[in-house]
């Protein structure tokens, strides 16, 4: 969604932090971190520190390596401008305002707090992981400005960058010749490293390192569900919110190696040349990443080119399999999707989700070939199930449920055995979005979660709905904040009680013009798909 960015939120092409004058004025709070002091900005309502470096620049020999600590500094570093976003392709179908320049030196984060927050206040912490199909996006997007979330003083917010696309999710370890070392899942390792930074530093910003809620959307939600199954994440967060998680978009090493070889081939390199990759120009990596990103789902509908892999290390098994086996971290979880997830991909004519009949048939054929013992629903059963769902179109409905809804339901069913789990569905859409046949499409909940509804150029309110939208936003922010504070996603007074998910009642909160809790809202589709289709893809 188009939005404007304050001039002071832009960043030059240099490092994410810069030396500042030694004096500290009112309105320029200085905080000591384990790496050195940082100076932010306080406007009397909120304090914000932007572009704080949490890891060394992942360049040269550190490409495709686990993050390492930055060099410490002694003088206060200026943290009033956002740091660079990870290099990424531009897509005219997605007019994304990153709010920042791009550059490989992208491992930085932002901290938001109300102006009355002081060190030692130990307020709950929300840590945001942005989405973007693991290839685009940034913590600096105006959509993720934290002012409205923190201004009441209930929480401290952290938004972070991590490596994307080939920089973060290209599997090279199996191709290494031994002359250079590569690590798996470096994008996930970045998030873990940032969470360790939060643990070690957030108390100085007024946050509580023992009450950290990790939340994210789309690929960010996928990172949340993946890290819920990672022993390396134990103790780094204590609650989790997964919005529109593609929980089954986590693959085995064989498929990841195929993508890596395809990537090398487009660069004119063979697997024997893998050691040359750290010297390849950034522009070439981005260009080839875009080509591979488009090609993989066109050949294998329903799959992503770049995503977490089961490496036996930080990802011991497929996330849904871990949840079903009761092996996820025992932290309370809010998980859910939007009602019309796939309509965005149809509107964009994106190949990421299988929407056309041919793409859906191709995907089913791939599943049957990979998992010959799996009993799949027939085309007749699927058509009948979706005809019973009023207003649910077959192509978009199947794509939404395969890509997002059913993986989230499967994950909730498993995770509820180890911790309280709350299932939701975001149904609200403005008249404009309904007219465009987008409805509650993928990512449309984001401005409501952050309270950023008043962007002048936001086209979604052209035909009205802003007043109701503000009420929806107030309710969802209250629930998310209460979950971070108390571990229960309670709404404002008078709103329906949202009970934890269980296999008997299967309660689901429907977020719309009015919130309501519905029993087993997914029953027809859930029974059609069963509990195994795609859960281990």
């Amino acid at each position: 969604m188009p939005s404007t960015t304050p001039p002071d939120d832009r960043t030059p092409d240099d490092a994410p932090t810069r030396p500042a004058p030694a004096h500290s004025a009112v309105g320029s709070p200085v905080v000591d971190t384990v790496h050195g002091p940082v100076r932010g900005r306080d406007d009397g309502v909120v304090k914000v520190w932007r572009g704080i470096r949490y890891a060394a620049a992942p360049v040269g020999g550190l490409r495709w390596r686990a993050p390492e600590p930055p060099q410490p500094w002694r003088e206060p570093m200026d943290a009033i401008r956002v740091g660079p976003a990870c290099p990424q392709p531009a897509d005219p179908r997605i007019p994304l305002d990153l709010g920042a320049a791009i550059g490989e030196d992208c491992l930085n984060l932002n901290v938001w707090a109300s102006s009355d927050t002081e060190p030692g206040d130990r307020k709950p912490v929300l840590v945001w992981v942005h989405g973007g199909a693991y290839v685009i996006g940034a913590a600096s997007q105006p959509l993720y400005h934290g002012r409205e979330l923190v201004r009441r003083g209930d929480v401290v917010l952290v938004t972070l960058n991590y490596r994307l696309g080939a920089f973060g999710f290209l599997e090279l370890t199996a191709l290494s010749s031994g002359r250079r070392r590569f690590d798996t899942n470096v994008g996930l390792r970045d998030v873990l490293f940032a969470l360790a930074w939060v643990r070690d530093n957030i108390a100085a910003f007024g946050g509580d390192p023992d009450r950290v809620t990790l939340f994210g959307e789309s690929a960010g939600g996928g990172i949340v569900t993946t890290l819920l199954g990672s022993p390396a994440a134990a103790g780094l967060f204590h609650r989790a919110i997964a919005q529109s998680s593609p929980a089954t978009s986590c693959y085995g090493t064989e498929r990841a190696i195929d993508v890596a070889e395809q990537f090398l081939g487009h660069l004119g390199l063979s697997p024997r040349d893998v050691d040359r990759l750290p010297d390849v120009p950034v522009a070439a990596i981005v260009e080839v990443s875009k080509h591979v990103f488009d090609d993989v789902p066109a050949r294998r509908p329903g799959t992503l080119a770049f995503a977490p892999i089961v490496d036996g290390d930080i990802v011991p098994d497929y996330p849904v399999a871990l949840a079903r086996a009761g092996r996820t971290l025992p932290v309370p979880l809010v998980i859910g999707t939007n009602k019309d997830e796939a309509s965005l991909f149809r509107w964009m004519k994106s190949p990421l989700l299988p929407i056309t009949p041919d793409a859906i048939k191709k995907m089913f054929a791939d599943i049957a070939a990979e998992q010959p013992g799996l009993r799949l629903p027939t085309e007749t059963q699927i058509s009948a199930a979706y005809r019973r769902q009023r207003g649910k179109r077959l192509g978009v409905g199947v794509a939404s449920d395969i890509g997002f809804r059913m993986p989230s339901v499967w994950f909730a069913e498993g995770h509820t055995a180890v911790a309280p789990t709350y299932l939701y569905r975001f149904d609200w859409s403005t008249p404009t979005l309904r007219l465009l046949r987008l409805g509650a499409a993928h990512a449309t909940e984001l401005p409501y979660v952050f309270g950023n509804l008043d962007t002048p150029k936001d086209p979604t309110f052209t035909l009205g709905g802003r007043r109701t939208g503000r009420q929806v936003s107030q309710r969802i922010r209250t629930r998310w904040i209460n979950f971070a504070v108390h571990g229960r996603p309670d709404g404002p007074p008078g709103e329906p009680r949202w009970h934890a998910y269980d296999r008997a009642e299967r309660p689901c909160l429907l977020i719309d013009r009015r919130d309501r809790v519905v029993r087993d809202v997914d029953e027809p589709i859930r029974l059609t798909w069963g509990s195994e289709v795609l859960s281990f893809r």
Side-chain angles (χ1 to χ4, degrees):
M1 298 178 187
S3 55
T4 55
T5 306
D8 66 318
D9 231 3
R10 297 287 176 178
T11 280
D13 291 328
D14 56 359
T17 51
R18 299 176 301 160
H23 67 279
S24 178
V26 174
S28 301
V30 175
V31 170
D32 287 322
T33 75
V34 294
H35 302 128
V38 293
R39 176 176 294 125
R41 179 170 292 173
D42 183 354
D43 65 7
V45 178
V46 299
K47 303 174 185 177
V48 59
W49 293 262
R50 295 180 170 100
I52 301 174
R53 185 191 297 275
Y54 70 83
V59 300
L62 292 183
R63 268 188 189 172
W64 296 290
R65 293 287 305 277
E68 295 187 0
Q71 289 294 321
W73 60 88
R74 293 185 179 181
E75 295 299 317
M77 300 296 283
D78 195 352
I80 61 172
R81 290 183 173 86
V82 294
C86 182
Q88 57 195 270
D91 189 334
R93 297 169 299 184
I94 312 175
L96 200 62
D97 181 359
L98 295 177
I102 62 173
E104 271 196 279
D105 190 3
C106 61
L107 299 185
N108 57 80
L109 52 77
N110 315 297
V111 180
W112 301 75
S114 62
S115 290
D116 61 358
T117 302
E118 298 293 339
D121 281 355
R122 299 188 71 85
K123 293 182 177 180
V125 182
L126 284 163
V127 178
W128 174 250
V129 187
H130 70 80
Y134 298 106
V135 294
I136 59 174
S140 51
Q141 290 174 238
L143 188 60
Y144 308 141
H145 285 188
R147 185 181 186 86
E148 294 302 316
L149 264 183
V150 306
R151 65 185 304 169
R152 293 193 329 188
D154 299 303
V155 295
V156 173
L157 172 69
V158 177
T159 63
L160 63 92
N161 282 340
Y162 57 99
R163 280 172 281 183
L164 304 171
F167 294 100
F169 297 96
L170 188 67
E171 168 51 25
L172 299 173
T173 57
L175 304 178
S176 175
S177 67
R179 292 187 297 272
R180 285 187 187 269
R181 177 187 161 193
F182 300 104
D183 293 312
T184 58
N185 287 315
V186 295
L188 289 180
R189 294 178 191 272
D190 292 341
V191 177
L192 289 169
F193 210 73
L195 286 168
W197 184 96
V198 170
R199 177 197 62 202
D200 297 338
N201 293 281
I202 204 64
F205 295 86
D208 186 349
D210 296 321
R211 278 193 297 171
V212 174
T213 297
L214 183 66
F215 73 133
E217 182 267 346
S218 193
I223 287 176
V224 172
T225 51
T226 301
L227 292 184
L228 278 167
S230 174
L236 292 179
F237 60 93
H238 313 91
R239 299 173 180 92
I241 301 173
Q243 301 169 206
S244 301
S245 167
T248 51
S249 293
C250 179
Y251 308 123
T253 55
E254 183 176 344
R255 182 177 298 185
I257 291 169
D258 288 343
V259 172
E261 290 178 341
Q262 181 183 353
F263 182 87
L264 289 168
H266 284 294
L267 284 173
L269 302 175
S270 74
R272 296 188 303 274
D273 301 318
V274 68
D275 294 337
R276 294 168 53 189
L277 270 180
D279 303 317
V280 174
V282 168
I285 293 174
V286 171
E287 181 181 355
V288 171
S289 295
K290 177 64 166 63
H291 182 88
V292 174
F293 176 77
D294 289 339
D295 183 63
V296 166
R299 290 189 296 107
R300 304 191 67 168
T303 62
L304 299 173
F306 306 107
I309 66 164
V310 178
D311 61 2
D313 183 9
I314 61 172
V315 185
D317 202 344
Y318 297 96
V320 173
L322 291 168
R324 286 164 53 108
R327 294 170 55 198
T328 42
L329 300 177
V331 302
L333 170 67
V334 168
I335 187 168
T337 64
N338 295 357
K339 184 178 182 181
D340 308 297
E341 293 279 2
S343 62
L344 175 68
F345 301 93
R346 181 199 59 201
W347 183 69
M348 292 167 48
K349 297 181 172 59
S350 168
L352 286 180
L353 285 182
I355 294 174
T356 66
D358 286 346
I360 292 172
K361 289 179 181 178
K362 175 70 166 62
M363 184 198 64
F364 270 70
D366 288 345
I367 298 170
E370 288 180 356
Q371 305 178 62
L374 191 64
R375 190 170 67 184
L376 298 173
T378 67
E379 187 174 343
T380 301
Q381 290 172 323
I382 293 171
S383 297
Y386 282 88
R387 280 198 302 270
R388 290 196 297 270
Q389 295 287 91
R390 179 185 296 180
K392 200 159 191 178
R393 295 179 294 277
L394 180 60
V396 172
V398 170
S400 295
D401 292 333
I402 285 173
F404 299 101
R405 185 61 186 180
M406 290 315 302
S408 293
V409 171
W410 293 329
F411 199 97
E413 286 179 343
H415 191 74
T416 192
V418 299
T421 303
Y422 301 86
L423 182 69
Y424 77 87
R425 194 180 75 193
F426 185 83
D427 286 11
W428 163 251
S429 61
T430 65
T432 300
L433 291 176
R434 293 196 294 272
L435 180 66
L436 293 172
R437 296 176 64 230
L438 283 166
H442 188 65
T444 55
E445 89 285 8
L446 289 173
Y448 300 90
V449 169
F450 282 85
N452 295 325
L453 298 179
D454 294 319
T455 302
K457 295 182 180 179
D458 188 339
T460 63
F461 294 108
T462 302
L463 299 179
R466 195 182 295 271
R467 180 177 179 182
T468 301
R470 290 194 183 109
Q471 296 170 353
V472 172
S473 177
Q474 182 62 47
R475 294 198 306 271
I476 194 170
R477 279 183 287 141
T478 298
R479 290 189 185 278
W480 268 219
I481 288 172
N482 280 338
F483 183 66
V485 174
H486 307 296
R488 300 185 309 276
D490 298 329
E495 288 300 312
R497 179 73 180 272
W498 185 6
H499 294 283
Y501 192 82
D502 65 77
R503 291 188 178 227
E505 295 296 320
R506 302 178 184 271
C508 177
L509 176 73
L510 302 187
I511 301 170
D512 205 339
R513 182 182 295 270
R514 295 282 184 271
D515 288 356
R516 58 196 178 102
V517 177
V518 176
R519 177 189 178 277
D520 203 2
V521 70
D522 303 295
E523 183 178 22
I525 304 303
R526 180 178 56 79
L527 295 177
T528 299
W529 287 115
S531 60
E532 292 186 357
V533 178
L534 290 179
S535 61
F536 307 114
R537 285 196 83 202

